[in-house]
Amino acid sequence: MVRPRMVLFGDSITEQSFRPGGWGAALADTYSRKADVVVRGYGGYNTRWALFLLHQIFPLVGIAPPLATTVFFGANDAALLGRTGERQHVPVAEYKENLKKIDCSKSMLIVLITPPPIDEDGRERFARSLYGEEARKLPERTNEMAGVYASQCIELAREMNIHCIDIWSKMQETAGWQKLYLSDGLHLTPEGNAVVHKEVVQTLRSVGLKAEEMPYDFPHHSRIDGSCPEKAFQ
């Protein structure tokens, strides 16, 4: 039996998801021996740049498509024009169209994840911790703009009848989300990672991908007879 794959495709929030306390590592643990969780996270990338990677990450021939793929972009696309992150900016209409192009296989489950909320004060504190008084005076991202991109992600999912996790709204339901869920105003704390993990698992379970019901790739040790182990592998 070939173990199915789940691909996590996104920017730095996905790239960092296998760090201690990360949502990707937690997902790999949830689906241990049931599916291989493969991280394809690229720090700093926007959806425009992500399109150049599609045929390498999702080859059209020679390998079966993933069982499921999370697509978690938008934090960089939403960088503001005229600010320090300008080169990462992608207009919101193009962002939506790029997400549509990433749905490159009709046989795999696609789960879109909106960009997370932005804590502008947290971003400023982080910049000052790095650059002191030389830190930029104006925010390179705002929560309002992140919400605009999140709404387009949600709208596209609705139009294409695919799943979407509105992490932008979900996190803001909790008082004190700014410091609880975000380490630097953008990237996730262990608690923020836990929210993403919970939402991803709930979405996967809703379409029947329940870890406890998925088969092992090889027999559980309890099924192996010590005196005749080959029987378990026939």
Side-chain angles (χ1 to χ4, degrees):
M1 178 179 175
V2 177
R3 189 184 297 184
R5 294 178 301 132
M6 296 181 180
V7 173
L8 314 183
F9 188 32
D11 51 34
S12 57
I13 298 173
T14 297
E15 182 178 355
Q16 297 174 11
S17 70
F18 260 61
R19 291 181 177 179
W23 65 275
L27 193 67
D29 180 61
T30 298
Y31 288 90
S32 176
R33 295 185 60 185
K34 306 300 181 68
D36 285 333
V37 177
V38 181
V39 176
R40 294 293 181 265
Y42 302 89
Y45 272 55
N46 54 35
T47 54
R48 183 185 295 162
W49 302 343
L51 293 182
F52 291 106
L53 312 181
L54 282 186
H55 288 167
Q56 283 73 40
I57 296 175
F58 307 106
L60 299 178
V61 295
I63 186 172
L67 184 65
T69 296
T70 60
V71 179
F72 197 172
F73 285 100
N76 297 312
D77 299 68
L80 300 177
L81 290 171
R83 309 289 171 84
T84 55
E86 181 175 27
R87 69 185 179 87
Q88 296 170 299
H89 172 80
V90 172
V92 68
E94 182 187 343
Y95 164 73
K96 182 180 179 183
E97 187 62 26
N98 291 343
L99 285 180
K100 186 175 182 179
K101 293 175 181 176
I102 293 174
D103 183 16
C104 55
S105 172
K106 302 305 178 186
S107 61
M108 69 178 173
L109 171 70
I110 293 286
V111 180
L112 298 180
I113 306 177
T114 71
I118 300 294
D119 173 21
E120 294 156 38
D121 290 340
R123 293 301 291 163
E124 181 179 359
R125 288 192 300 271
F126 177 70
R128 289 189 178 279
S129 73
L130 293 179
Y131 308 113
E133 293 304 315
E134 300 299 317
R136 48 119 185 100
K137 303 300 181 184
L138 296 172
E140 90 285 14
R141 292 169 174 80
T142 65
N143 194 40
E144 179 182 7
M145 187 58 69
V148 171
Y149 283 71
S151 68
Q152 289 302 297
C153 181
I154 296 165
E155 182 175 299
L156 176 65
R158 188 178 300 117
E159 292 171 358
M160 297 183 67
N161 193 31
I162 58 179
H163 293 271
C164 182
I165 297 171
D166 181 7
I167 212 69
W168 185 82
S169 296
K170 185 66 179 179
M171 287 186 168
Q172 293 183 82
E173 293 174 0
T174 300
W177 60 267
Q178 295 91 335
K179 292 183 178 179
L180 178 62
Y181 293 148
L182 304 176
S183 62
D184 58 4
L186 170 62
H187 298 96
L188 307 181
T189 62
E191 291 80 8
N193 275 281
V195 173
V196 176
H197 171 252
K198 179 180 179 181
E199 293 298 315
V200 170
V201 170
Q202 285 181 347
T203 302
L204 295 176
R205 290 181 64 84
S206 74
V207 296
L209 296 179
K210 301 177 181 179
E212 69 275 13
E213 296 178 1
M214 295 169 66
Y216 284 114
D217 52 353
F218 292 106
H220 189 270
H221 72 86
S222 62
R223 295 183 54 201
I224 301 174
D225 185 338
S227 61
C228 192
E230 61 272 15
K231 287 184 177 180
F233 300 94
Q234 293 174 350

